[in-house]
Amino acid sequence: MDNLETQSTRWSIRTAESIMQRMPRLYACNGLNGKWSYDYGVVLKGFEALWRHTGDNRYFRYIQQQMDHFVQEDGSIRGYTEDEYNIDHINNGKLLFALHAETGERKYRLAADRLRGQLERHPRTSEGAFWHKEIYPYQIWLDGLYMGAPFYLQYQLEYAGGEGLDDIIRQFILCERHTRDPETGLLFHAWDEKKVQPWCDPNTGLSPHFWGRSLGWFVMALVDVLEQLPGSHTDAPELRRILVDTLTALRRYQEADSGVWYQIVDCGSRKGNYLEASASSMIAYAIAKGIRLGVLDQTWQETLDRAFHGILDEFVLETQEGWINLNKNCQVAGLGGADKRDGTFAYYISEPIVTNDLKGLGAFLKFCAEYEWTLPEANRAKGVSARREGADSVGHV
């Protein structure tokens, strides 16, 4: 266990403390108004990592307080409706395993069972890949792999005797098969099996761009699954191959001066494109965890270190109160739906750019927790100091 002085200098600790002070009720923040939104799960998985690293039960209590707003004694989940068949709704369920293990409270297991039931009945493509949502039929989105696969795997390992793992791995194999661009090695944001969506190429079914955060979701999902997947599984080498190939493609687009990634990954010089915090944090998290798991060799350390310093320099600001702000987050992006989002370059760069979006904060917290606790002690707290700025820095950028 580190001494308090060392811990207090860590970006993971400082970010978590900032979140707890600003948002004691996380579920009521960022305009979500108590919805069962996947955003919470991103942040709270960062808190779970920090709790395990530090042994500080304040972090566990923060997780429990947020989740108890939703999880009822009978295992029902406030604001959750299974028959929406929304893969995003699975993400928060990742916290239920630790809550159940630590407290022994049955409601957490019952809630996990409820979410697993959705996956049992969730609609799929003809090859067996989960639809992103029922309102987005026959579509695979990269985002969905992070939302569903790690929960699905942990449930099968902890509550189902390790059966059915092939189905989880199939999700990644099918996703990469249908979304990978052979020229760049990058993955397109989404694919429509029916090739009828207004945003897709009518010949390939693919959306037109490589959106940074969607790639970030995908590689985070891969490392989180590889951490749990038994190494003896027949398809474990294939998942490792997908991770290495995808990150190798992304490394070619790491911006030379800053060390981070663009909103549209391969269009760095195009007018209107911008360096984006959530995608950069997610990709860096996957690299850090890939190194720790031994999937990436030590030649990746320089890439990782550049990303860490670049994220601090490019996106992190400190308020006069000592709180951490994460700037330049794309607030949200998707395809189709009521807003008829067309997946064009103009669409992706037109979405609001905000400070302290939960998806970005959560990814940054996860990254720092992963990076800082795997570095040699002398280097853990080292880094580029955040620029100080007044408290009024919170808001749109």
Side-chain angles (χ1 to χ4, degrees):
M1 195 73 62
D2 300 326
N3 62 47
L4 292 176
E5 183 178 358
T6 302
Q7 288 195 22
S8 68
T9 64
R10 292 194 173 175
W11 294 104
S12 53
I13 297 285
R14 297 172 67 196
T15 301
E17 296 294 332
S18 298
I19 292 169
M20 288 193 296
Q21 291 178 56
R22 277 187 173 128
M23 296 178 268
R25 294 183 302 145
L26 189 67
Y27 51 82
C29 297
N30 283 44
L32 296 173
N33 298 320
K35 286 194 224 174
W36 177 248
S37 175
Y38 67 90
D39 306 57
Y40 312 126
V42 187
V43 175
L44 296 178
K45 283 299 287 184
F47 273 87
E48 183 182 337
L50 207 51
W51 163 61
R52 295 188 187 281
H53 285 313
T54 64
D56 188 337
N57 279 326
R58 291 184 308 123
Y59 300 133
F60 181 83
R61 289 196 298 272
Y62 185 75
I63 295 168
Q64 188 172 17
Q65 287 162 5
Q66 311 313 314
M67 292 295 287
D68 279 354
H69 174 77
F70 297 102
V71 179
Q72 309 302 298
E73 289 303 315
D74 63 355
S76 61
I77 301 169
R78 180 179 291 159
Y80 165 72
T81 305
E82 179 188 318
D83 61 13
E84 290 180 5
Y85 292 110
N86 180 344
I87 203 76
D88 290 344
H89 288 340
I90 303 298
N91 187 54
N92 296 340
K94 298 169 186 176
L95 283 307
L96 296 169
F97 302 105
L99 289 168
H100 182 236
E102 287 296 306
T103 68
E105 292 189 36
R106 188 165 176 263
K107 66 177 183 177
Y108 300 121
R109 169 64 193 269
L110 292 173
D113 291 344
R114 192 176 296 266
L115 296 174
R116 177 64 182 89
Q118 176 186 322
L119 294 180
E120 195 67 29
R121 295 174 284 276
H122 198 98
R124 298 176 181 237
T125 67
S126 63
E127 297 171 297
F130 293 123
W131 292 5
H132 191 61
K133 301 179 184 180
E134 188 170 52
I135 62 171
Y136 300 140
Y138 299 98
Q139 297 167 43
I140 300 173
W141 293 21
L142 301 185
D143 321 28
L145 276 297
Y146 179 81
M147 304 302 164
F151 168 87
Y152 189 3
L153 176 60
Q154 192 166 357
Y155 187 97
Q156 295 306 111
L157 291 174
E158 295 198 14
Y159 298 151
E163 296 180 355
L165 304 190
D166 291 354
D167 188 39
I168 299 155
I169 294 169
R170 182 190 308 138
Q171 305 301 314
F172 290 96
I173 292 172
L174 291 172
C175 183
E176 193 219 21
R177 178 184 301 166
H178 290 298
T179 63
R180 186 176 184 272
D181 174 46
E183 292 185 17
T184 64
L186 298 171
L187 309 184
F188 291 98
H189 186 177
W191 174 73
D192 171 25
E193 181 179 26
K194 297 297 185 181
K195 303 176 183 177
V196 297
Q197 293 301 318
W199 48 259
C200 82
D201 183 304
N203 296 312
T204 66
L206 289 164
S207 60
H209 283 289
F210 308 115
W211 180 40
R213 187 154 76 220
S214 68
L215 281 151
W217 290 127
F218 185 77
V219 292
M220 283 208 305
L222 276 166
V223 292
D224 286 355
V225 163
L226 282 167
E227 184 176 36
Q228 301 181 70
L229 185 71
S232 59
H233 192 282
T234 305
D235 289 322
E238 179 65 0
L239 281 196
R240 291 193 287 267
R241 193 275 305 164
I242 293 171
L243 177 66
V244 171
D245 285 358
T246 308
L247 286 176
T248 298
L250 283 164
R251 180 159 63 171
R252 288 194 284 268
Y253 293 95
Q254 185 179 27
E255 207 271 327
D257 293 333
S258 68
V260 297
W261 283 267
Y262 278 94
Q263 165 79 337
I264 302 297
V265 171
D266 64 328
C267 296
S269 61
R270 191 165 173 182
K271 183 178 180 182
N273 206 5
Y274 61 94
L275 300 171
E276 203 276 330
S278 67
S280 298
S281 298
M282 290 175 179
I283 295 164
Y285 168 79
I287 294 171
K289 198 164 189 175
I291 293 172
R292 175 168 66 81
L293 296 176
V295 181
L296 302 178
D297 62 32
Q298 286 302 310
T299 63
W300 284 84
Q301 190 65 47
E302 188 272 339
T303 301
L304 177 61
D305 292 340
R306 286 183 59 231
F308 175 64
H309 293 292
I311 289 167
L312 295 182
D313 268 352
E314 187 68 32
F315 306 124
V316 176
L317 292 168
E318 183 182 359
T319 71
Q320 290 176 348
E321 297 88 351
W323 291 351
I324 300 303
N325 285 342
L326 188 74
N327 293 317
K328 301 182 185 177
N329 298 271
C330 173
Q331 187 173 49
V332 67
L335 295 162
D339 295 332
K340 299 182 179 180
R341 299 167 294 185
D342 61 9
T344 60
F345 178 85
Y347 161 69
Y348 282 111
I349 66 166
S350 69
E351 287 287 10
I353 305 167
V354 301
T355 295
N356 294 336
D357 176 78
L358 295 184
K359 298 175 287 297
L361 272 179
F364 178 66
L365 177 58
K366 281 163 63 75
F367 167 51
C368 290
E370 181 67 41
Y371 180 81
E372 291 173 335
W373 262 269
T374 53
L375 279 177
E377 180 63 38
N379 294 325
R380 283 177 175 173
K382 196 186 292 182
V384 181
S385 295
R387 291 161 288 174
R388 294 192 67 88
E389 184 173 289
D392 60 354
S393 59
V394 180
H396 290 232
V397 176

